[in-house]
Amino acid sequence: MASMSTLFTPTPHRTRCIPKSLNAHFAPPFKLAVGGKARHGIVRVRAGLIDPDGGKLVELFVEKSQKDAKKQEAASLPKVRLTKIDLQWVQVLSEGWASPLRGFMKEPQFLQTLHFNSLRLDDGSVVNMSVPIVLAIDDLQKRRVGEFKKVALVDSDGTTVAILSDIEIYKHPKEERIARTWGTTAPGLPYVEEAIRKAGNWLIGGDLEVIEPIKHHDGLDRFRLLPKELREEFTKRNADAVFAFQLRNPVHNGHALLMTDTRGRLLEMGYKNPILLLHPLGGYTKADDVPLSWRVRQHEKVLEDGVLDPETTVVSIFPSPMHYAGPTEVQWHAKARINAGANFYIVGRDPAGMGHPVEKRDLYDADHGKKVLSMAPGLERLNILPFRVAAYDKTQGKMAFFDPLRQQDFLFISGTKMRALARSKENPPDGFMCPGGWKVLIEYYESLAPADNGKVPQTVSL
Amino acid sequence: MASMSTLFTPTPHRTRCIPKSLNAHFAPPFKLAVGGKARHGIVRVRAGLIDPDGGKLVELFVEKSQKDAKKQEAASLPKVRLTKIDLQWVQVLSEGWASPLRGFMKEPQFLQTLHFNSLRLDDGSVVNMSVPIVLAIDDLQKRRVGEFKKVALVDSDGTTVAILSDIEIYKHPKEERIARTWGTTAPGLPYVEEAIRKAGNWLIGGDLEVIEPIKHHDGLDRFRLLPKELREEFTKRNADAVFAFQLRNPVHNGHALLMTDTRGRLLEMGYKNPILLLHPLGGYTKADDVPLSWRVRQHEKVLEDGVLDPETTVVSIFPSPMHYAGPTEVQWHAKARINAGANFYIVGRDPAGMGHPVEKRDLYDADHGKKVLSMAPGLERLNILPFRVAAYDKTQGKMAFFDPLRQQDFLFISGTKMRALARSKENPPDGFMCPGGWKVLIEYYESLAPADNGKVPQTVSL
C-alpha cells in the first residue's frame, strides 16, 4: 500500500496538467438536484476548481530578490514579538487560507467579523470571515511603535519573520471579542485562556509580508501543503469535485464510511473524479486532544490499511489554531477550504464544539453548527454535506449508518469511550478502527503514562 | 405656534397626494458626491420613498370581517400569556417595523440574527436584522402547547391579542443570546435582567395575526403612527428625503442644531423638501431614563418654542423596547426607520450605549456604533449621517458645533450633568435648552421627589 506521503507529493502517474478544455470534457457543466443537500437543491458540476474568496488566492511571501532588502528594512523597525499562536496565524495569512485578507485585521475587518461573520469587499461582494485574525500588543509595545507606520514581527528567538506595514493600532475589546466569538464569557475556554486574556490591550493590523515561508521542522512539514499546492494537486489529479473533511481527532471506521459514502454520492451526482481532502488541523489544540504528530501517524496507518483509497485522497495539514468556537468557527474551517479548492464540505454533529467550561452541558447545540454553516454569508458557493450518523452495528460487526428502526443493534462509541479504551490498552469491537490505527492510539497513551504519574488525562467528547 | 399633534395628523394644507410624476419633477434622479458621508460617497436623489425591507411593508392585523372567527378560533387554542415587553414586540411586528418578518422568529431567523445580524430572503437578497425578536415560554407552557400547530397570545388580563400559527418551539440559549447580542454576559444589563434571565427555556416562533391593533390608552396613542401612516404623511408633505433621529432622552439645543444643520446639508445636496422624523423610543427603557410621557411633553415644548420647524418635522413614537445593546441595536433602530420611509439616519456617539454594568467604563467603544452601522449588511440603501459633536459655546452663549481649534470656549454638558442640574432645580447656561423644555424636566424630577424620599435617582450618560 502506498504510504501517505505519496498521496500529495507530485503524482508521477498524472504529472501532465490537464488542459481546461479536456477537463471540461470530463465534467460538462450541467445542473442536478441533490435532494436539499446543497443550498437551493442545485449543484452545478463544472470544470475547474472553485475560485478562491475574492477571486484571487493571496500569498504574502516576499519575493526572493527582495529578501535581503526586506531583512535590512526590518532591522530598522520597532519589533513585535510573536507568540506561538501568533506565528500560526502568520502562516495561515501568508499561505492564503484567509484570502482575500492581506494581513492581520484592522478595525473595520475586526468589527465586521465580530458582528457579521463576513467582510464586504470593495466591489460590494461578501466573503465569509467568522473568527478574528488579529495581533495583540501591550501598552509598552504600542509606545515603542509610536509614530512608525511599519513594524517587524519576530519569533521567540528574535528572528525576523515578517513586516507589517500600513499599520493601524486600535483597542482590543477582549470581553466583547470573547462574547461575540464564543457566545459565552465563562472562564476556561482553551483558546481564550491561552491567547486572549493574557494578551495586550491593543490590536495591530496591517499588510503582511513574510520573509521566509513558515516551517516547523518537526518532520511534518512535507504534509503542510499550501492552498496553491493543494489546488495544483487537485488539478493534476483531474478532480472535478473536492470534498473536505476537517478533523482534529483520530479517524475511525465511521469517519471512513462517511467519506467513502460521500464519494459515492458525488459519483451518483455526475462527478467523474471526486477527491477527498482529509485535512487534520495542525495549529494550537487544547491539552487533552491527541497531538498532531500522533494523529498524523494514525491517519497514515488508516491509509496504509486500505480503509481509504490513496488514489482519491489527499492528506494534508491545515495550519490554523483551534478556537473551539462551534458554529462561529466551523464557518472559518469551511471558508479556508474553499481557498484550497474544496467545493464540498462535510459537516458533522457539534463541529468545533466542546463541553461548556463551567456548566454540565455541551457549549453549543449539536445542530447549530450545520444550520449556521448552511446559512452563512459568503459560503453560498460551497456545498454543505451534513454528516450521517455512523455507529457500530453489532449484527454486521462493523461501523454502519445508524438505522433508527433497529437501534438496539447499534453501539455508540464516543470519543471519550474510545480514549478510555486506548488508555487502558483494551481493544474496541472488531471493525471500529483498523488495527494499525488503534495501535498508534495505544502507543500515544503509553507515551503519556510516565509523565502522567499514572494520572488519567482529562478527556472530552469526540 | 402649532402644537405637536398637528405635526403628523393629516396636514390639511397638503392633503392632495402628489402624483409620482410631479414628485419626480421636484426631485429629478441624479447622483451627487457627499464627501464620504454616504456609503461609496454617492447619494441618489430620487422620487418616492425608500422601499421597505423585502419590498413590501408587512402588516399583521386580522381583517375586520375575520375578527370574530379568529377570536372564536383563539378560544380553542392553548394560551401563551405575554409580558409587557412581549406585547411591545407584538406591536412592533404587527405594525411592520421589522418587515419582512411576519412573526416571532423561528430558529433559522434567530440564528441568522445572532451570527450575521441579517436575514437572507428566499430571493437571495439580504435584509438587516440585528436583535432577536423572540417569544420565550417555559417548560409548562411548552407541555401545554403539545402537538398544537397554533397558539393564542393573551395579555395580562387574559384578553386574546393574537394568534401565532405554523409554530416552531426550540431551545432558548440564553447565555449565547446575551453574549452575541450584547458582547458581554455581565449581570445588570437592564433588558437582560427584565426580559431574558427570568424568561422560559424555550422560544416559540410562528406567523402572527393580531386581532386588534395594539393601543396603550395613555393619552399618547395619537403619537404612535404606524410605518404605513408615516409613509402616507411623508408623501402628503411631498418629502423627497426623510431623515430619522432616534432618541430616548430630552432634546437640547445641540440636538436641535444638529437636526437643523442636517436639513441644510440635505438641501445643499439637491433635495427640495427633507422632512425630519423625530422618533422617540416608546417601549421599555431602564428605570433611570426619563419616562416616555415626560419626554413627549418635553419634545412638544421644543416644537412650541420654535426650536424645530413644525412644517418640516414629524414627531412620532417608535414602539420598540430598548435593548441598550450599542452597535448591535443601532442597526435595528436604523432598519426599522427604513420601513417607516426614512432614507437618512443620524447616528451619534455611542448609540444605544450605556455604562458597563460591572466595570467602570462605557460598555461600548463610542465610535463602534457608527462604524458598525456604516458596514451593516442590508443597510446599504440607507444613508448614514454621523453626528457632529455640539457643545455649549461660551463666546456665543449657545450650542454650536465643537471647534477643536478653540476648545477652551466650549462647555460639554453631559446627560448626567443635565439631569443633576434639573434635579436640583438649577438652570443650565442660557441657550442650552429652550425654557419650556427645561421646565418639563424640572417638573419631572419634582414629581419623583416624594416617592424617592429624597434619594437621588441613579443617572447615566446621555
Side-chain angles (χ1 to χ4, degrees):
Chain A
M1 185 56 62
S3 89
M4 191 165 70
S5 59
T6 67
L7 299 177
F8 59 85
T9 48
T11 42
H13 56 293
R14 273 183 188 159
T15 44
R16 194 170 61 85
C17 186
I18 307 295
K20 262 206 162 176
S21 57
L22 188 56
N23 227 347
H25 170 75
F26 280 97
F30 64 94
K31 284 183 175 187
L32 9 88
V34 290
K37 293 300 188 302
R39 198 182 301 247
H40 308 311
I42 299 291
V43 172
R44 181 178 282 274
V45 177
R46 50 165 233 156
L49 299 175
I50 189 170
D51 284 336
D53 273 350
K56 194 172 172 300
L57 192 65
V58 164
E59 285 201 349
L60 305 172
F61 305 120
V62 169
E63 276 184 44
K64 210 171 173 183
S65 63
Q66 294 292 308
K67 278 184 190 175
D68 286 343
K70 289 289 178 186
K71 279 184 201 165
Q72 215 171 327
E73 183 187 1
S76 69
L77 297 174
K79 285 171 186 38
V80 170
R81 193 171 292 256
L82 302 173
T83 67
K84 206 172 148 189
I85 289 181
D86 292 338
L87 199 58
Q88 291 171 3
W89 285 121
V90 168
Q91 180 172 6
V92 164
L93 289 166
S94 65
E95 295 179 356
W97 300 96
S99 292
L101 265 195
R102 300 195 63 86
F104 286 104
M105 290 178 177
K106 296 184 178 185
E107 196 179 44
Q109 295 161 331
F110 175 66
L111 290 175
Q112 288 179 78
T113 300
L114 285 190
H115 287 274
F116 315 131
N117 286 194
S118 59
L119 303 177
R120 182 185 304 277
L121 307 185
D122 286 343
D123 66 0
S125 67
V126 168
V127 296
N128 190 268
M129 193 69 242
S130 61
V131 300
I133 303 184
V134 288
L135 180 59
I137 57 174
D138 60 22
D139 296 5
L140 179 63
Q141 283 172 309
K142 179 173 181 285
R143 275 200 301 279
R144 280 192 193 142
V145 174
E147 296 300 307
F148 276 86
K149 292 286 166 226
K150 294 184 179 186
V151 296
L153 306 183
V154 303
D155 67 14
S156 55
D157 301 331
T159 308
T160 299
V161 171
I163 290 176
L164 198 66
S165 53
D166 193 19
I167 59 171
E168 180 196 2
I169 296 179
Y170 55 102
K171 273 178 269 175
H172 186 182
K174 294 185 193 180
E175 181 190 46
E176 190 175 352
R177 174 183 173 193
I178 296 163
R180 295 196 193 278
T181 305
W182 279 269
T184 177
T185 58
L189 297 167
Y191 187 94
V192 169
E193 303 303 336
E194 182 73 25
I196 301 185
R197 288 209 207 273
K198 295 177 296 186
N201 290 322
W202 303 93
L203 297 174
I204 180 168
D207 293 336
L208 189 70
E209 294 170 287
V210 173
I211 314 253
E212 298 284 354
I214 308 295
K215 295 290 174 197
H216 295 251
H217 309 294
D218 57 355
L220 301 176
D221 281 334
R222 64 201 168 99
F223 293 109
R224 293 188 176 92
L225 270 73
L226 277 55
K228 185 178 155 194
E229 292 169 330
L230 285 168
R231 287 176 166 268
E232 285 164 2
E233 181 62 21
F234 298 138
T235 303
K236 273 183 199 153
R237 295 202 190 197
N238 196 24
D240 58 358
V242 176
F243 58 113
F245 190 70
Q246 140 79 30
L247 75 172
R248 62 170 218 271
N249 279 306
V251 172
H252 59 59
N253 287 349
H255 298 134
L257 170 67
L258 180 81
M259 292 185 261
T260 309
D261 178 72
T262 300
R263 184 173 149 81
R265 282 158 64 197
L266 292 172
L267 289 169
E268 276 170 29
M269 279 184 207
Y271 290 97
K272 303 295 180 197
N273 191 25
I275 298 289
L276 165 64
L277 170 59
L278 185 65
H279 215 191
L281 179 135
Y284 164 81
T285 52
K286 58 192 165 62
D288 59 351
D289 277 357
V290 178
L292 177 67
S293 58
W294 290 93
R295 281 186 281 130
V296 171
R297 282 178 58 187
Q298 196 268 352
H299 300 341
E300 271 190 302
K301 288 294 173 198
V302 168
L303 273 289
E304 283 175 17
D305 282 8
V307 177
L308 290 170
D309 178 5
E311 290 293 315
T312 58
T313 304
V314 173
V315 184
S316 182
I317 293 172
F318 176 48
S320 172
M322 188 76 201
H323 268 60
Y324 304 94
T328 300
E329 185 170 26
V330 70
Q331 298 171 65
W332 160 242
H333 287 172
K335 175 242 165 67
R337 273 53 178 241
I338 291 179
N339 283 332
N343 57 337
F344 286 86
Y345 187 83
I346 301 176
V347 61
R349 195 188 158 281
D350 199 15
M354 54 173 275
H356 193 288
V358 173
E359 300 170 26
K360 284 209 168 189
R361 60 174 176 94
D362 284 341
L363 182 49
Y364 304 107
D365 181 300
D367 291 327
H368 279 186
K370 68 167 175 259
K371 288 178 183 171
V372 167
L373 189 60
S374 71
M375 300 186 291
L379 296 182
E380 298 81 0
R381 301 180 300 142
L382 187 67
N383 300 292
I384 310 298
L385 298 169
F387 230 89
R388 290 170 65 191
V389 178
Y392 187 76
D393 182 345
K394 292 179 284 187
T395 65
Q396 297 189 75
K398 65 174 192 180
M399 297 298 281
F401 289 120
F402 177 66
D403 177 356
L405 293 180
R406 49 183 194 89
Q407 61 181 51
Q408 70 286 354
D409 294 344
F410 287 89
L411 194 63
F412 282 91
I413 300 172
S414 69
T416 309
K417 174 79 179 164
M418 177 179 77
R419 292 195 193 92
L421 287 171
R423 202 181 302 114
S424 56
K425 299 184 200 179
E426 289 178 70
N427 282 329
D430 274 355
F432 172 74
M433 186 186 286
C434 65
W438 187 255
K439 199 160 157 277
V440 173
L441 271 196
I442 290 190
E443 283 168 20
Y444 164 60
Y445 284 105
E446 277 177 353
S447 79
L448 278 186
D452 242 26
N453 290 327
K455 258 195 306 169
V456 176
Q458 264 198 310
T459 57
V460 292
S461 289
L462 189 67
Chain B
M1 185 56 60
S3 88
M4 189 164 72
S5 59
T6 66
L7 299 177
F8 59 85
T9 48
T11 42
H13 56 293
R14 275 184 187 157
T15 44
R16 194 170 60 86
C17 186
I18 307 294
K20 262 204 164 179
S21 57
L22 188 56
N23 227 348
H25 170 75
F26 281 98
F30 65 98
K31 284 184 176 187
L32 10 87
V34 289
K37 294 299 188 302
R39 197 182 301 246
H40 309 311
I42 299 292
V43 172
R44 181 178 282 276
V45 177
R46 49 166 233 155
L49 298 175
I50 189 170
D51 283 337
D53 273 350
K56 194 173 172 298
L57 192 66
V58 164
E59 285 201 348
L60 305 173
F61 305 120
V62 169
E63 275 184 45
K64 208 169 174 185
S65 63
Q66 293 292 309
K67 278 185 189 174
D68 286 343
K70 290 289 177 185
K71 279 185 200 165
Q72 213 170 328
E73 183 187 1
S76 69
L77 297 175
K79 284 170 186 40
V80 170
R81 193 171 292 256
L82 302 173
T83 67
K84 206 172 149 189
I85 289 181
D86 292 338
L87 199 58
Q88 290 171 3
W89 285 121
V90 168
Q91 180 172 5
V92 164
L93 289 165
S94 65
E95 295 179 356
W97 300 95
S99 292
L101 265 194
R102 300 195 63 87
F104 286 103
M105 291 179 177
K106 297 184 177 185
E107 196 180 44
Q109 296 161 330
F110 175 66
L111 290 175
Q112 288 180 79
T113 299
L114 285 190
H115 286 274
F116 315 131
N117 286 193
S118 59
L119 303 177
R120 182 186 305 278
L121 307 185
D122 286 343
D123 66 1
S125 67
V126 168
V127 296
N128 190 268
M129 194 69 243
S130 62
V131 301
I133 302 184
V134 289
L135 180 59
I137 57 174
D138 61 22
D139 296 5
L140 179 64
Q141 283 173 309
K142 179 173 181 286
R143 276 200 301 279
R144 279 192 193 143
V145 174
E147 297 300 307
F148 276 87
K149 292 285 166 227
K150 294 184 179 186
V151 296
L153 306 183
V154 303
D155 67 14
S156 55
D157 301 331
T159 308
T160 299
V161 171
I163 290 176
L164 198 66
S165 54
D166 193 19
I167 59 171
E168 180 196 2
I169 296 179
Y170 56 102
K171 273 178 270 176
H172 185 182
K174 293 186 193 181
E175 182 189 46
E176 190 175 352
R177 174 183 173 192
I178 296 163
R180 295 195 193 277
T181 305
W182 280 269
T184 178
T185 58
L189 297 167
Y191 187 94
V192 169
E193 302 303 336
E194 182 73 24
I196 301 185
R197 288 209 207 272
K198 296 176 296 187
N201 290 321
W202 303 93
L203 297 174
I204 180 168
D207 293 336
L208 189 70
E209 295 170 287
V210 173
I211 314 251
E212 297 284 354
I214 309 295
K215 296 290 174 196
H216 295 251
H217 309 293
D218 57 356
L220 302 177
D221 281 334
R222 65 201 167 100
F223 293 108
R224 293 189 176 90
L225 269 73
L226 277 54
K228 185 178 154 195
E229 292 168 330
L230 285 168
R231 287 176 166 268
E232 286 165 1
E233 181 63 20
F234 298 138
T235 303
K236 273 183 200 153
R237 295 202 190 197
N238 196 25
D240 58 358
V242 176
F243 58 114
F245 190 71
Q246 140 79 29
L247 75 172
R248 61 169 218 270
N249 279 306
V251 172
H252 59 59
N253 287 349
H255 298 134
L257 170 67
L258 180 81
M259 292 185 260
T260 309
D261 177 72
T262 300
R263 184 173 149 82
R265 282 158 64 198
L266 292 172
L267 290 169
E268 276 170 28
M269 279 184 206
Y271 290 98
K272 302 296 180 197
N273 191 25
I275 298 289
L276 165 64
L277 171 59
L278 184 65
H279 215 191
L281 180 136
Y284 164 81
T285 52
K286 58 192 166 62
D288 59 352
D289 277 356
V290 178
L292 177 67
S293 58
W294 290 93
R295 281 185 281 130
V296 171
R297 280 178 58 187
Q298 196 269 352
H299 300 342
E300 271 191 303
K301 288 294 173 197
V302 167
L303 273 288
E304 283 175 18
D305 283 8
V307 177
L308 290 170
D309 178 6
E311 290 293 315
T312 58
T313 304
V314 173
V315 184
S316 182
I317 293 172
F318 176 48
S320 172
M322 188 75 200
H323 268 59
Y324 305 93
T328 300
E329 186 171 26
V330 70
Q331 298 171 66
W332 160 241
H333 288 172
K335 175 241 164 69
R337 273 54 177 241
I338 291 178
N339 284 332
N343 57 337
F344 286 86
Y345 186 83
I346 300 176
V347 61
R349 193 189 159 280
D350 199 15
M354 54 173 274
H356 193 289
V358 173
E359 300 170 26
K360 284 210 167 188
R361 60 173 176 94
D362 284 341
L363 183 49
Y364 303 107
D365 180 299
D367 291 327
H368 280 186
K370 68 167 174 260
K371 288 178 182 171
V372 167
L373 189 60
S374 71
M375 300 186 290
L379 297 182
E380 298 81 0
R381 301 180 299 141
L382 187 67
N383 300 292
I384 310 298
L385 298 169
F387 229 90
R388 291 169 65 191
V389 178
Y392 187 75
D393 183 345
K394 292 179 284 187
T395 65
Q396 297 190 73
K398 66 174 192 178
M399 296 298 281
F401 289 120
F402 177 66
D403 177 356
L405 294 181
R406 49 183 194 89
Q407 60 181 50
Q408 71 286 355
D409 294 344
F410 287 90
L411 194 63
F412 282 91
I413 301 171
S414 70
T416 308
K417 174 80 179 163
M418 176 178 78
R419 292 195 194 92
L421 287 171
R423 202 181 301 114
S424 57
K425 299 185 198 178
E426 289 177 70
N427 281 330
D430 273 356
F432 172 75
M433 187 185 285
C434 65
W438 187 254
K439 197 159 159 277
V440 174
L441 271 196
I442 290 191
E443 283 169 18
Y444 164 59
Y445 284 104
E446 278 177 352
S447 79
L448 278 186
D452 243 25
N453 290 327
K455 259 195 306 169
V456 176
Q458 263 196 311
T459 57
V460 292
S461 289
L462 189 67

